[in-house]
Amino acid sequence: MIRIKLNSPFDLDNTVTCGQIFRFFKKEDGSYDIILKDRIINVLKKEEELFVTSNIDKDLETVVRDYFDLDNNYEDIYNEIISKDDKIDEAAKFSAGLKMIHQDPFETIIEYIISANNGVPQIANSLNNIAEKFGKRVAFNGNYYYLFPRYKDLKEVSVEEYRNCKVGFRDKYIKGMVDKLNKEEIKLEEFYEMSTKESLNKLMENAGIGPKVASCILLFAYKKYDVFPVDTWVKKVMKQNYQIEGEEKIRKFAKETYGKYSGIAIQYLFNYGRNKEK
DNA sequence: CCACAGGACGGCT
DNA sequence: AGCCGTCCTGTG
């Protein structure tokens, strides 16, 4: 067990449950079991401190700080965003402590390919099916969990086997992506170096990845915060609050209004819309 | 049983 | 270039 003192606001509950990740499990004591790339962690927040256990202790603090983006300066982000308008000011204030989770690129790519035209419970279900069939089983905290497989583990997996995991018509997209990675036609690291525009275009060359999915991948795996994933929810909000319609107009507005942190602004808006009534 | 929700794609203007 | 039917699964 390690303890991590928090020196800036961190809202563990909203960060975990706001739709960034799908494979987490809330425990009775209010903590979360979360499946990361190569390990399972249990995180409990008490006062201004995190209590973390894992099946792998090596580099645990570093892994957790990176995963929850604890060392990023959210003051700067906040100040950049709130100057824009009242609505986002309110949403950003409300969302203080919401962090951008830094996820594994491969898992994120598959996650968001599956997310296309799909609901949150179904996405989680498909991901768990894939992990249970092809991922490594790990005993932790009185349960068995399955790590999400690496693309090398999926080399021989057929389209039919993905279909059996209830991914529907996205089966061939997953297979296509896994094949390209194994043939090294795409390298996961290359997107870190590229500009946002370049990496968006490069991602969208792949079947099953359009503007929304590509934006989510860059936002959640590559820390590129100047993307703006437009889904049906965003379209609704933009129409209601700003009378703006059409994907291109929305993206243009977001870029001009929220600038280099537009991807975080949208998380704040979503979090605000989802939780303010409670 | 049917209607619907949710992005990408491809075929049509 | 933009519009719209289709793809699959789970839920109401």
Side-chain angles (χ1 to χ4, degrees):
Chain A
M1 146 108 81
I2 59 164
R3 301 167 65 145
I4 300 176
K5 279 237 185 295
L6 298 165
N7 43 25
S8 61
F10 176 42
D11 185 338
L12 177 66
D13 287 307
N14 274 336
T15 298
V16 170
T17 63
C18 74
Q20 302 187 69
I21 57 171
F22 300 93
R23 302 191 64 223
F24 63 87
F25 305 88
K26 185 154 193 171
K27 311 295 282 188
E28 279 184 14
D29 62 356
S31 71
Y32 295 91
D33 282 351
I34 306 174
I35 305 173
L36 305 200
K37 177 182 180 178
D38 63 342
R39 72 186 81 198
I40 322 292
I41 60 170
N42 175 267
V43 191
L44 177 70
K45 190 188 170 204
K46 222 179 189 177
E47 321 265 290
E48 289 315 300
E49 203 169 7
L50 294 183
F51 297 78
V52 188
T53 58
S54 173
N55 64 315
I56 299 176
D57 285 333
K58 188 173 183 293
D59 301 326
L60 187 55
E61 173 152 0
T62 310
V63 166
V64 171
R65 296 192 87 92
D66 177 65
Y67 185 71
F68 287 121
D69 204 24
L70 296 181
D71 297 315
N72 199 352
N73 189 343
Y74 278 78
E75 281 289 302
D76 284 353
I77 295 169
Y78 178 74
N79 288 330
E80 174 86 19
I81 289 176
I82 53 158
S83 49
K84 306 306 180 181
D85 67 56
D86 290 349
K87 194 129 265 157
I88 192 67
D89 182 13
E90 214 175 318
K93 275 191 186 122
F94 184 85
S95 301
L98 188 74
K99 304 281 191 181
M100 299 299 292
I101 292 184
H102 184 204
Q103 302 183 53
D104 170 64
F106 174 64
E107 187 174 340
T108 308
I109 288 171
I110 303 303
E111 243 174 44
Y112 282 93
I113 286 176
I114 292 174
S115 81
N117 206 21
N118 211 349
V120 171
Q122 287 99 304
I123 299 165
N125 189 33
S126 298
L127 291 169
N128 286 328
N129 288 339
I130 291 174
E132 280 166 31
K133 270 198 190 139
F134 309 112
K136 188 180 161 199
R137 188 169 90 148
V138 176
F140 180 68
N141 217 356
N143 288 297
Y144 285 113
Y145 291 114
Y146 293 82
L147 300 181
F148 198 77
R150 307 286 87 210
Y151 60 82
K152 288 190 171 84
D153 304 327
L154 299 173
K155 226 176 198 167
E156 309 299 330
V157 177
S158 66
V159 171
E160 289 71 31
E161 287 175 286
Y162 290 123
R163 181 63 70 103
N164 291 337
C165 295
K166 305 294 172 194
V167 301
F169 57 86
R170 308 154 193 92
D171 54 2
K172 54 192 177 292
Y173 303 148
I174 299 171
K175 169 90 172 132
M177 179 53 77
V178 168
D179 284 349
K180 281 189 188 177
L181 286 164
N182 277 311
K183 284 191 259 176
E184 296 190 10
E185 284 169 28
I186 303 169
K187 293 198 175 70
L188 292 173
E189 310 76 49
E190 66 190 348
F191 298 106
Y192 282 112
E193 309 305 326
M194 283 185 219
S195 73
T196 298
K197 206 178 169 67
E198 266 181 310
S199 42
L200 273 176
N201 289 333
K202 184 90 184 165
L203 281 169
M204 288 193 293
E205 285 172 13
N206 301 286
I209 302 182
K212 159 78 183 347
V213 171
S215 300
C216 285
I217 293 168
L218 293 181
L219 189 55
F220 296 127
Y222 292 99
K223 297 188 168 197
K224 294 190 195 295
Y225 300 139
D226 55 337
V227 293
F228 199 77
V230 179
D231 59 14
T232 53
W233 183 84
V234 171
K235 283 180 190 165
K236 218 179 279 175
V237 169
M238 286 296 151
K239 189 180 172 183
Q240 274 173 10
N241 294 320
Y242 303 99
Q243 291 77 49
I244 298 170
E245 288 184 77
E247 275 193 48
E248 269 321 303
K249 277 185 184 160
I250 291 173
R251 251 187 292 278
K252 185 166 176 281
F253 169 83
K255 197 174 176 179
E256 284 166 5
T257 313
Y258 309 129
K260 59 183 174 174
Y261 295 124
S262 53
I264 299 180
I266 205 171
Q267 294 302 303
Y268 288 168
L269 281 173
F270 183 74
N271 181 55
Y272 182 59
R274 172 177 167 266
N275 288 321
K276 68 172 171 179
E277 308 301 341
K278 291 180 189 168

